[in-house]
Amino acid sequence: MKLLRHTLCGALVVLAACVFYTAAQAKPKTLSLSERVQNLVEMNQKKPLLRFNGPKFREYVKNTPRNYSMIVMLTALAPSRQCQICRHAHDEFTIVANSYRFSPVYSNKMFFAMVDFDEGSEVFQLLRLNTAPVFMHFPAKGKPKAADTMDIHRVGFAADSIAKFVAERTDITIRIFRPPNYSGTVAMITLVALAGSFLYIRRNNLEFLYNKNLWGAIAVFFCFAMISGQMWNHIRGPPLVHKTQNGGVAYIHGSSQGQLVVETYIVMFLNAMIVLGMILLIESGTSKGHNKNRIMAMVGLVLLTVFFSFLLSVFRSKAQGYPYSFLFK
């Protein structure tokens, strides 16, 4: 009986030891601060832009203490997600990460990372995000504030805008180095070659160069492109459209400090219709046919009135508090 009791006690001790050992092995190991920094530096040596999933995000971004800042882009790059601007935003963010990694200001006090929705959907749930892309700064101490989320609808997501956001949040100034892009040079050389070939073929008949209508059309098209905001789009890199708070799609930016790509073409079309109306009104006074003059004047007046009202309505929606409107509010 005594032997049986000792045997049972020994078995219980062995079983308890096995249980505690298994629990200790199953418990996730938490890295120390020095180990996390070392791992980040080693990963950063291979890739300037780190790619995190849910567990890595919690380990390197959410765990405390930290003595480094993280600039994180949350995105959805899979074609099935139908995020039209995510790829462009990813390219710009990669340019900033590369510029920082190979700049004199690089240190282990700041890192760039990204989280794709398909690889870390729990991160989006943790941060309560339902849109992409989102750029966030996670400071070394404390929790992110409202200003630590970049307002891409106002400033866009061009590399220079991201670098300015980083400088505002971390006091680290990054000089942007873009990889050489020869597509513009090739396009210009091709255009010059085509124009030269055309002029050489037409060298005996160059009267079209003195055509006032041709040069007028070129000048007006250039004005349309400039006043509609094409250069602003090129500098700021705004999104094509954006979602409203109720889930709809907005084609006109609600602030005078920003605009959308689609909005640029809408404004260009409205200005073109206004100019066409003015041309018809002017031409109606120079033609000889009385009925033709009347039709041209009526069509020109309608175009001028309707599309100027639309343009004024767009301006009124962007300039909050503007009191004037014409046909449409």
Side-chain angles (χ1 to χ4, degrees):
M1 189 70 179
K2 188 176 181 180
L3 179 61
L4 180 61
R5 186 183 305 144
H6 284 296
T7 304
L8 289 174
C9 290
L12 289 174
V13 170
V14 173
L15 181 61
C18 291
V19 170
F20 282 117
Y21 178 78
T22 304
Q25 291 295 322
K27 185 178 179 180
K29 181 182 177 181
T30 302
L31 299 177
S32 64
L33 176 59
S34 60
E35 290 175 329
R36 277 186 280 142
V37 173
Q38 182 179 358
N39 289 346
L40 287 171
V41 171
E42 290 176 355
M43 289 188 291
N44 215 203
Q45 295 293 330
K46 300 176 182 178
K47 291 184 178 181
L49 179 58
L50 308 178
R51 190 157 186 155
F52 287 169
N53 52 19
K56 284 187 176 181
F57 179 86
R58 286 190 293 270
E59 181 67 46
Y60 294 105
V61 181
K62 296 298 291 183
N63 276 359
T64 55
R66 290 195 314 272
N67 61 356
Y68 54 87
S69 300
M70 294 292 298
I71 309 297
V72 181
M73 178 183 71
L74 299 112
T75 185
L77 296 176
S80 59
R81 300 299 174 186
Q82 298 182 353
C83 181
Q84 300 177 353
I85 64 173
C86 286
R87 176 58 60 182
H88 186 199
H90 174 266
D91 294 340
E92 295 293 309
F93 193 65
T94 303
I95 290 174
V96 180
N98 286 326
S99 300
Y100 171 68
R101 171 63 185 82
F102 299 103
S103 70
V105 299
Y106 172 74
S107 68
N108 61 358
K109 298 301 180 182
M110 185 177 72
F111 300 94
F112 286 79
M114 62 163 288
V115 179
D116 191 272
F117 180 82
D118 292 311
E119 299 173 359
S121 58
E122 62 270 27
V123 177
F124 282 75
Q125 296 175 2
L126 177 65
L127 300 176
R128 299 179 180 179
L129 298 175
N130 55 9
T131 60
V134 175
F135 300 93
M136 294 187 66
H137 166 243
F138 292 86
K141 296 181 180 179
K143 296 181 179 180
K145 301 177 182 178
D148 287 310
T149 300
M150 182 176 172
D151 187 1
I152 63 174
H153 299 305
R154 183 175 62 87
V155 300
F157 50 76
D160 295 290
S161 300
I162 299 174
K164 182 179 179 182
F165 168 74
V166 173
E168 292 173 351
R169 306 313 304 166
T170 64
D171 294 328
I172 298 176
T173 302
I174 302 173
R175 183 180 178 184
I176 299 299
F177 295 95
R178 290 186 177 273
N181 184 3
Y182 300 105
S183 59
T185 304
V186 172
M188 181 60 67
I189 293 175
T190 303
L191 181 62
V192 171
L194 291 175
S197 301
F198 179 76
L199 292 176
Y200 179 76
I201 294 173
R202 296 288 302 272
R203 61 185 181 276
N204 296 324
N205 186 14
L206 299 178
E207 288 83 3
F208 68 93
L209 292 177
Y210 303 96
N211 190 321
K212 294 186 295 182
N213 293 333
L214 173 64
W215 291 107
I218 295 174
V220 169
F221 180 79
F222 178 79
C223 291
F224 287 159
M226 292 299 104
I227 65 177
S228 63
Q230 289 289 348
M231 188 57 65
W232 195 93
N233 291 347
H234 181 73
I235 296 172
R236 296 294 185 91
L240 181 67
V241 296
H242 72 77
K243 292 184 179 180
T244 60
Q245 295 181 351
N246 58 5
V249 179
Y251 301 100
I252 304 294
H253 198 284
S255 170
S256 59
Q257 301 298 319
Q259 72 177 25
L260 305 173
V261 174
V262 170
E263 178 183 340
T264 301
Y265 297 107
I266 292 175
V267 172
M268 182 186 296
F269 173 75
L270 295 177
N271 283 317
M273 292 298 100
I274 292 172
V275 169
L276 179 60
M278 288 296 300
I279 292 175
L280 291 177
L281 284 174
I282 294 171
E283 291 295 325
S284 66
T286 59
S287 300
K288 296 181 179 180
H290 182 70
N291 293 332
K292 183 180 179 181
N293 289 352
R294 181 179 300 177
I295 294 174
M296 291 176 60
M298 293 299 297
V299 173
L301 183 61
V302 170
L303 289 176
L304 179 63
T305 304
V306 172
F307 288 100
F308 179 77
S309 300
F310 276 122
L311 187 63
L312 191 62
S313 177
V314 171
F315 178 78
R316 191 169 184 267
S317 67
K318 296 177 66 68
Q320 304 297 330
Y322 186 75
Y324 304 109
S325 62
F326 193 32
L327 296 181
F328 315 104
K329 291 186 177 182

